[in-house]
């Protein structure tokens, strides 16, 4: 079990421990940070090594792994349903509109799973590997550390339809986003903290074209002009061209995202709505000036998100290969 916290996350450790002490739901109580201590004691170290290697090779992968965890948990709960390939009996989530040509990191999870299977065949779930990978990815790019709760099992189903209806859109209003998170037990502060993951990663041109060419008052003109250099105004031209969500520290999970919002430099419309005169303005302001608060809340919110409807006990299965049922 990994017990140490990075020096930048001392405040986070206190918040996380308090959160764990308060958790009393049946699902979260069935998860434990020591779940594999006796059955596969080297599992976490093995996963961490795989994730560090992947992020060292490509820093952007850290954002992709955190997003993969998010997109898994928001559909059916944290059950690795997003990893399943299509079959005659399963229409998977990989080709759902919010995931298609967008979600990445499947191969990184597969590699980590393969290494763990060599140690302890049939013991560690893909769902747990996705959860641990998100934490390790955060640490690898300077973000907070936290104790991942373990003991999830893998889903035997997936839902493309649910993925297309449940996952937030880059065009969602503040009210819509708040409702989506609230429906899964994540409050407004959790929602804003988790949005801070957009301190790292990149977005495709089609997701922010409408915003940078909108000529509205909620975007800095110079910022819009800069982003337009690699994102033509013409529809369907350069749709897949990438831009960093945070120009200042694009490979560092920090609070610069919130500073950007205050300066009207949120790349996506769904980012900027967090600082647009609504009830999240004060949280954005707090995180922009108090990075320790952001890191503490991000860690706590990631634990809460990881506890969304996990399969435990005899439910589901431990997949041998993450992309297919046993």
């Amino acid at each position: 079990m990994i017990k140490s916290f990075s020096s930048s996350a001392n405040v986070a450790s206190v918040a996380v421990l308090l959160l764990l002490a308060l958790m009393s739901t049946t699902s979260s109580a069935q998860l434990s940070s020591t779940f594999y201590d006796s059955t596969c004691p080297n599992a976490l170290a093995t996963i961490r090594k795989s994730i560090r290697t992947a992020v060292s090779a490509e820093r952007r992968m850290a954002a992709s792994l955190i997003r993969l965890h998010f997109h898994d948990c928001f559909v059916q709960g944290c059950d690795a349903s997003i990893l399943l390939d299509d079959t005659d009996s399963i229409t998977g989530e990989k080709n759902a509109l919010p995931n298609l040509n967008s979600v990445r990191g499947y191969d990184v999870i597969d590699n980590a799973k393969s290494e763990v299977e060599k140690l302890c065949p049939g013991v560690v779930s893909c769902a747990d590997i996705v959860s641990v990978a998100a934490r390790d990815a955060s640490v690898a790019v300077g973000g907070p550390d936290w104790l991942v709760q373990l003991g999830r099992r893998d889903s035997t189903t997936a839902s493309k339809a649910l993925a297309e209806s449940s996952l937030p859109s880059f065009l969602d209003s503040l009210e819509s986003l708040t409702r989506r998170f609230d429906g899964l037990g994540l409050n407004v502060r959790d929602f804003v903290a988790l949005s801070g993951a957009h301190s790292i990663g990149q977005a495709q041109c089609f997701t922010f074209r409408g915003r940078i060419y909108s000529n509205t008052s909620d975007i800095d003109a110079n910022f819009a002009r800069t982003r337009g250099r690699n994102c033509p105004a013409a529809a369907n031209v350069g749709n897949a061209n990438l831009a960093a969500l945070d120009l200042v520290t694009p490979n560092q999970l920090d609070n610069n995202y919130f500073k950007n919002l205050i300066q009207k430099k949120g790349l996506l419309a769904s980012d900027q709505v967090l600082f647009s005169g609504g009830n999240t303005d004060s949280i954005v302001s707090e995180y922009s000036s108090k990075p320790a608060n952001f890191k503490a809340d991000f860690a706590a919110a990631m634990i809460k998100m990881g506890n969304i409807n996990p399969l435990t006990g005899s439910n589901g299965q431990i997949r041998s290969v993450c992309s297919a049922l046993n």
Side-chain angles (χ1 to χ4, degrees), residues 91-133:
T91 301
E93 298 161 23
K94 289 182 178 180
N95 292 318
L97 290 177
N99 297 332
L100 183 64
N101 298 321
S102 173
V103 170
R104 307 166 68 243
Y106 301 117
D107 56 331
V108 176
I109 301 299
D110 287 343
N111 289 340
K113 172 66 171 177
S114 177
E115 292 303 309
V116 172
E117 283 293 296
K118 294 175 185 176
L119 296 176
C120 319
V123 173
V124 181
S125 69
C126 298
D128 276 345
I129 292 174
V130 171
S131 298
V132 173

Side-chain angles (χ1 to χ4, degrees), residues 99 104 268-269 284 315:
N99 297 332
R104 307 166 68 243
L268 304 178
V284 170
N315 295 315

Side-chain angles (χ1 to χ4, degrees), residues 163-186:
E164 293 184 335
S165 64
S166 299
L167 288 166
S169 163
F170 58 89
L171 297 174
D172 276 353
S173 67
L174 180 61
E175 293 73 21
S176 176
L177 289 166
T178 302
R179 282 197 304 270
R180 289 185 190 276
F181 280 76
D182 183 67
L184 293 172
L186 299 168

